Amino acid sequence: MSRGLVIGESLIDIVGSEEHVGGSPLNVAVGLARLGREIDLLTHIGDDPHGRHIAEHAKNAGVQLVSGSMTATRTPTARVTVDENGSADYVFDLEWQLSGTPEVAPPLVVHTGSIAAVHEPGCLAVAALVDTYRVSATVTFDPNVRPALIVDRDLARERIDHLLERSDVVKVSEEDLRWIDPDRPPEVVARSWLASGPSIVAVTMAEQGAFALCAGGEVRVPARPVHVVDTVGAGDAFMAGLIDALWAMGLLGADRRGALRRIPPETLTDALRAATLSSALTVARAGADLPDRASVSAAASRFDG
């Protein structure tokens, strides 16, 4: 097992007159592939100009589209509005569904999240696939909530809780935690999530950096000092950077679940630093343009000496 599997939506972000390939899971897949990881992507796009654009983007990054990923009647889109602070708001035209088990070898890590985790009917297949693959794989999850697509808030939270219990590594933004559980401080919610099953719960806090919880305690890292162009893809870059760091540390795969659960705080701190570096390089560029290995290595030398 040397490959990762990402399950989730791919779409075209429409920003004014410009179009960009997007979708949180797709961004994570591309980010990992650009870092040199072998990645399969199970998604749902059409065999239309938008879909072929996405397929070409994935191929250029080194991502392998899983057979059956181009069966949608149309490729999803999201109209994006970016405010003066660089924050993005989305209006979606999207359908999400999956059928059957993809014909891929048992992965080392399986990642999912965002729309794929809560949007019917595909979210039901996602939950079943996570149960199937966690026998061999580390499960990573980013709720990356899209309120505009959520009709039943309580049901969405139930589906998020279901995946939480089956995940090993969870990344979530402070903003999403406040949407999911507005009655408790994010730190309290994160601790309750850790108690529900994951080995790591990492919380991103924009310019305040990030913190993460594990059995050994809590660690915090500051944000990297960069000029922010926009925040599109920032959380996805963080997720890709975190998975990549844990991969390099030999902590992925079901047979390493015990070692991951015992991750020392200082090791988790190193992983968080890698994740924040990946995120910083992304926010310094327009759109979800996640960095490759050479960019990360050069930036690490610049930031960390």
Side-chain angles (χ1 to χ4, degrees):
M1 296 183 297
S2 62
R3 299 183 69 85
L5 173 65
V6 176
I7 305 171
E9 72 274 4
S10 305
L11 48 84
I12 296 293
D13 288 329
I14 302 171
V15 187
S17 60
E18 297 183 356
E19 296 184 351
H20 306 279
V21 175
S24 176
L26 172 89
N27 290 339
V28 173
V30 166
L32 284 167
R34 287 180 176 175
L35 293 172
R37 303 302 181 181
E38 296 182 339
I39 301 296
D40 297 308
L41 173 65
L42 177 61
T43 190
H44 188 60
I45 56 178
D47 188 5
D48 53 27
H50 280 161
R52 290 189 287 274
H53 185 193
I54 290 171
E56 187 68 17
H57 177 77
K59 180 182 178 181
N60 289 341
V63 175
Q64 177 67 50
L65 273 191
V66 174
S67 176
S69 289
M70 295 187 74
T71 58
T73 56
R74 67 185 185 281
T75 297
T77 60
R79 292 198 172 273
V80 186
T81 304
V82 179
D83 66 20
E84 63 272 13
N85 297 317
S87 296
D89 185 55
Y90 299 84
V91 177
F92 295 93
D93 175 18
L94 176 144
E95 63 174 28
W96 170 244
Q97 59 184 21
L98 297 172
S99 61
T101 301
E103 297 179 3
V104 296
L108 184 70
V109 57
V110 58
H111 172 77
T112 193
S114 198
I115 295 165
V118 299
H119 196 61
E120 292 185 350
C123 65
L124 306 177
V126 170
L129 288 172
V130 166
D131 283 341
T132 297
Y133 285 121
R134 78 182 308 272
V135 174
S136 71
T138 297
V139 176
T140 67
F141 174 49
D142 177 6
N144 201 359
V145 177
R146 301 301 188 197
L149 281 173
I150 294 175
V151 176
D152 187 329
R153 186 171 181 154
D154 290 337
L155 181 58
R157 287 190 289 209
E158 286 178 17
R159 287 171 174 162
I160 289 169
D161 287 343
H162 177 89
L163 286 172
L164 278 174
E165 294 167 1
R166 287 153 179 78
S167 297
D168 299 293
V169 179
V170 176
K171 173 263 162 190
V172 63
S173 70
E174 182 181 31
E175 180 182 8
D176 283 348
L177 280 180
R178 293 189 187 280
W179 185 91
I180 293 166
D181 193 337
D183 298 325
R184 295 190 293 170
E187 292 84 355
V188 174
V189 180
R191 289 191 194 99
S192 72
W193 282 16
L194 186 74
S196 72
S199 296
I200 296 170
V201 176
V203 181
T204 58
M205 302 182 295
E207 70 276 2
Q208 299 301 312
F211 72 90
L213 306 174
C214 64
E218 176 181 331
V219 300
R220 291 180 179 263
V221 298
R224 305 282 182 156
V226 295
H227 172 70
V228 176
V229 175
D230 65 48
T231 62
V232 179
D236 305 326
F238 184 99
M239 185 84 256
L242 180 59
I243 294 170
D244 175 69
L246 296 172
W247 202 324
M249 294 168 177
L251 291 174
L252 298 185
D255 61 339
R256 299 295 292 159
R257 193 161 274 136
L260 183 66
R261 190 164 293 280
R262 297 187 299 273
I263 187 171
E266 56 271 21
T267 303
L268 181 54
T269 300
D270 289 342
L272 274 196
R273 287 190 180 120
T276 58
L277 180 58
S278 181
S279 184
L281 291 174
T282 301
V283 301
R285 304 169 174 175
D289 185 8
L290 279 67
D292 59 16
R293 179 68 69 194
S295 298
V296 168
S297 297
S301 299
R302 189 168 70 250
F303 280 113
D304 301 330

